[in-house]
Amino acid sequence: MSFKVAFIGAGSIGFTRGLLRDLLSVPEFHNIEVAFTDINEHNLDMVTQLCQRDIDENGLNIKIQPTLDRREAFKDAKYIFSVVRIGGLEAFQTDVDIPLKYGVDQCVGDTLCAGGIMYGQRGIAAMLDICKDIREVADPNVLLLNYANPMAMMTWACNKYGGVRTIGLCHGVQGGHWQIATALGLKKEEVDIICAGINHQTWYISVKHNGEDLTGKILEAFESHPEFSQTEKVRIDMLRRFGYYSTESNGHLSEYVPWYRKRPEEINDWIDLGVWINGETGGYLRVCTEGRNWFETDFPNWLKEKPMEYKPESRSEEHGSWIIEGLETGRVYRGHFNVVNNGVISNLPDDAIIEAPGYVDRNGINMPHVGDLPLGCAAVCNVSISVQRLAVEAAVHGDDLLLRQAMMMDPLTGAVCNPKEIWQMTDEMLVAQEKWLPQYGKAIAEAKERLALGNLLPTKDDYKGAARIKVKTVEEMAQDREASSKNAVEADKAKERPAEVK
């Protein structure tokens, strides 16, 4: 069978290459068309060289179509993967550093909190333009598979305002599933789960082994586990107080709620610095910066290494290829997908983007009714949904009042900052990110005027955060090439489980 798959943001080495391997590990897909598009010609060229080499070494007669013209890439595409990072690391730096001046200490800053909200403003502005091109030139039944964060906001905007059927995909459920099985001393395939909520705040509301409900035994298992008891203190505390384990990593989760990062002197009590995702200040920004620098420096050696193998046992658990396989071949796939709620979770709003179990076959993507989340879990999700809704509407309409309200309603930002500080911080972030925020022209001009007047609230301009680690130089990374190359691949998305776990 033949159809066209396009990747936008294809210059992201780890994710693009891995997703392509997954797709081409399906025997029926050995004749598909593949197009890559990115705004960075240098990155696009490097990733295309690597992926084409993988294709050739696996004996497939597929020639990647790399192009800076996204409309050319989208033309007649049936499936489009979005792995964009609007503003790149330059904008990401301001997502982390400006809030830090006001005491908002983020580990990641790409989903909620001040950084995630601004990431959404940039991403939604770009995605609405991208969706226009998709509507005009892609296959009429095109499916947009969104891997870009902030997942819920981006997927919400594409479905409501972009006019493109969009599903959001994340591997957090798989990672937590593996953790739960490991804590219980079981194999992952032996543990049956139902996980529901919103992206990065999805809850394992049912955990069973051979029909026995083990949900009530998870807390003791995590508290007594020698590694997880140290690396997942926030998740364990949330489990202790809400009764259910959450999908997201310790560092991610700590910045979505108001309790664990609001007092600098307490942050280190809740995090672990062995791996960035466990809570390091600006940890994701650091590994992404190191990964980019290393890939650009070491690229010639990447071409000398063994190519990826396109075979079933090498395929990852990322949902994208499995969804396309189900739709095209009829083989049934069960995964957890981010979709418009429409009553799937009955005590979350219908317009929200929820994450819940779904089934895929030739008939489409079908989401069974989950019903009510436990009240405490629903309450946590509903706070975040309110922030997401405000942020989406702000981004679509260029409404800086809604943007400021989103910042005020954000749990951690609101716990750390008072309203005047939030207003000033938002001014700073709007001005710093002006070139990626075309919808905010008037608001940015007014923000510049206010900042130019002086008499500003004091900020901690030299504050580095409670747990920041220095970015390694290329020379330092060269001392351990294997670890640096692994980091460059995985910097696209955080892993919560060993890479080879299936």
Side-chain angles (χ1 to χ4, degrees):
M1 61 181 57
S2 182
F3 50 86
K4 184 175 181 180
V5 179
F7 290 77
I8 183 166
S12 61
I13 170 60
F15 233 51
T16 299
R17 194 179 180 202
L19 289 172
L20 185 63
R21 173 206 57 207
D22 293 349
L23 272 173
L24 297 182
S25 295
V26 181
E28 290 90 341
F29 294 172
H30 287 179
N31 294 310
I32 66 172
E33 297 177 57
V34 176
F36 287 176
T37 185
D38 199 288
I39 62 172
N40 187 316
E41 186 173 12
H42 179 56
N43 285 3
L44 180 63
D45 178 64
M46 289 192 294
V47 174
T48 300
Q49 285 187 59
L50 269 176
C51 290
Q52 188 64 59
R53 195 245 354 217
D54 291 342
I55 290 171
D56 295 343
E57 291 294 326
N58 281 274
L60 301 185
N61 188 28
I62 294 173
K63 295 300 178 187
I64 297 169
Q65 175 193 6
T67 175
L68 298 176
D69 182 348
R70 69 188 185 213
R71 288 176 69 90
E72 183 181 339
F74 295 161
K75 191 176 187 310
D76 300 323
K78 193 172 182 181
Y79 301 100
I80 297 175
F81 284 96
S82 174
V83 288
V84 299
R85 177 183 283 158
I86 304 301
L89 298 184
E90 181 186 351
F92 191 10
Q93 183 92 41
T94 65
D95 286 340
V96 172
D97 288 351
I98 292 176
L100 199 55
K101 292 167 51 178
Y102 293 84
V104 182
D105 187 317
Q106 302 166 101
C107 171
V108 186
D110 73 354
T111 298
L112 210 67
C113 205
I117 291 169
M118 291 307 298
Y119 195 14
Q121 305 309 293
R122 304 192 303 274
I124 289 170
M127 283 308 299
L128 293 184
D129 284 342
I130 289 167
C131 283
K132 179 178 182 293
D133 289 341
I134 292 173
R135 293 195 310 269
E136 292 177 356
V137 302
D139 184 286
N141 296 311
V142 65
L143 176 64
L144 178 59
L145 299 112
N146 177 50
Y147 274 101
N149 281 320
M151 174 64 64
M153 295 183 206
M154 298 279 269
T155 305
W156 194 326
C158 290
N159 278 293
K160 182 175 180 179
Y161 291 105
V164 175
R165 185 170 56 117
T166 304
I167 184 169
L169 303 177
C170 181
H171 55 232
V173 173
Q174 299 98 300
H177 188 179
W178 169 80
Q179 279 192 328
I180 288 170
T182 300
L184 292 169
L186 299 168
K187 294 180 179 179
K188 181 170 175 281
E189 58 268 24
E190 297 174 343
V191 178
D192 298 314
I193 62 163
I194 297 175
C195 200
I198 62 173
N199 182 239
H200 290 182
Q201 289 182 342
T202 319
W203 307 83
Y204 297 89
I205 56 176
S206 175
V207 177
K208 293 183 178 180
H209 175 246
N210 291 334
E212 179 188 359
D213 188 348
L214 300 181
T215 309
K217 297 182 179 181
I218 295 174
L219 177 59
E220 182 181 355
F222 273 92
E223 287 179 330
S224 60
H225 191 274
E227 178 185 346
F228 298 150
S229 62
Q230 300 305 307
T231 61
E232 302 291 354
K233 293 175 184 176
V234 172
R235 292 170 91 177
I236 291 171
D237 197 60
M238 291 286 285
L239 169 62
R240 184 180 297 120
R241 300 181 193 284
F242 287 86
Y244 299 89
Y245 198 59
S246 174
T247 49
E248 208 39 59
S249 65
N250 203 71
H252 263 301
L253 183 56
S254 69
E255 66 187 17
Y256 304 154
V257 290
W259 309 301
Y260 304 103
R261 301 186 79 95
K262 68 178 179 180
R263 295 175 182 151
E265 67 275 15
E266 294 179 1
I267 290 176
N268 279 286
D269 295 339
W270 293 107
I271 68 172
D272 168 81
L273 291 178
V275 180
W276 72 267
I277 201 169
N278 295 336
E280 173 192 339
T281 299
Y284 191 37
L285 174 62
R286 177 182 64 81
V287 299
C288 288
T289 303
E290 292 175 353
R292 176 201 61 189
N293 294 344
W294 180 249
F295 180 54
E296 291 182 351
T297 301
D298 200 52
F299 175 70
N301 290 318
W302 289 59
L303 288 172
K304 299 174 186 176
E305 294 179 350
K306 185 179 178 181
M308 284 187 168
E309 294 184 295
Y310 296 165
K311 53 187 182 180
E313 55 267 36
S314 300
R315 196 174 175 188
S316 81
E317 290 186 326
E318 297 293 349
H319 297 300
S321 70
W322 301 94
I323 289 173
I324 296 175
E325 180 183 4
L327 294 171
E328 293 292 330
T329 71
R331 290 193 278 270
V332 178
Y333 175 64
R334 178 185 185 270
H336 286 76
F337 314 134
N338 290 269
V339 299
V340 181
N341 187 17
N342 287 332
V344 171
I345 301 177
S346 47
N347 57 350
L348 297 185
D350 281 348
D351 62 335
I353 299 298
I354 54 94
E355 189 168 56
Y359 294 85
V360 187
D361 59 18
R362 199 175 273 114
N363 294 314
I365 300 167
N366 300 285
M367 305 294 294
H369 180 67
V370 171
D372 280 358
L373 284 182
L375 275 178
C377 301
V380 172
C381 289
N382 273 310
V383 173
S384 296
I385 288 170
S386 292
V387 177
Q388 292 166 356
R389 183 185 289 105
L390 285 164
V392 168
E393 296 300 321
V396 169
H397 302 292
D399 188 330
D400 71 309
L401 179 58
L402 291 179
L403 173 61
R404 296 168 201 278
Q405 291 170 351
M407 294 284 191
M408 287 186 70
M409 293 302 300
D410 178 77
L412 181 56
T413 307
V416 173
C417 297
N418 66 35
K420 289 183 178 180
E421 290 168 334
I422 290 172
W423 246 242
Q424 182 175 299
M425 180 182 71
T426 305
D427 277 351
E428 282 201 58
M429 297 186 84
L430 283 168
V431 171
Q433 300 184 15
E434 178 178 11
K435 61 184 173 182
W436 303 288
L437 298 172
Q439 73 274 47
Y440 282 109
K442 181 174 180 290
I444 290 172
E446 293 171 348
K448 286 180 178 178
E449 291 179 5
R450 283 190 292 271
L451 294 174
L453 290 174
N455 194 29
L456 301 176
L457 299 172
T459 57
K460 304 173 185 177
D461 292 2
D462 297 323
Y463 182 53
K464 301 301 181 185
R468 198 148 201 183
I469 295 175
K470 177 183 171 291
V471 175
K472 291 180 182 177
T473 65
V474 171
E475 291 74 22
E476 289 170 332
M477 288 187 281
Q479 296 174 18
D480 189 344
R481 279 196 68 252
E482 183 178 352
S484 297
S485 297
K486 182 173 183 288
N487 172 64
V489 171
E490 295 191 354
D492 287 317
K493 289 279 180 175
K495 299 291 181 185
E496 293 187 37
R497 56 186 169 83
E500 298 306 314
V501 170
K502 300 295 181 185

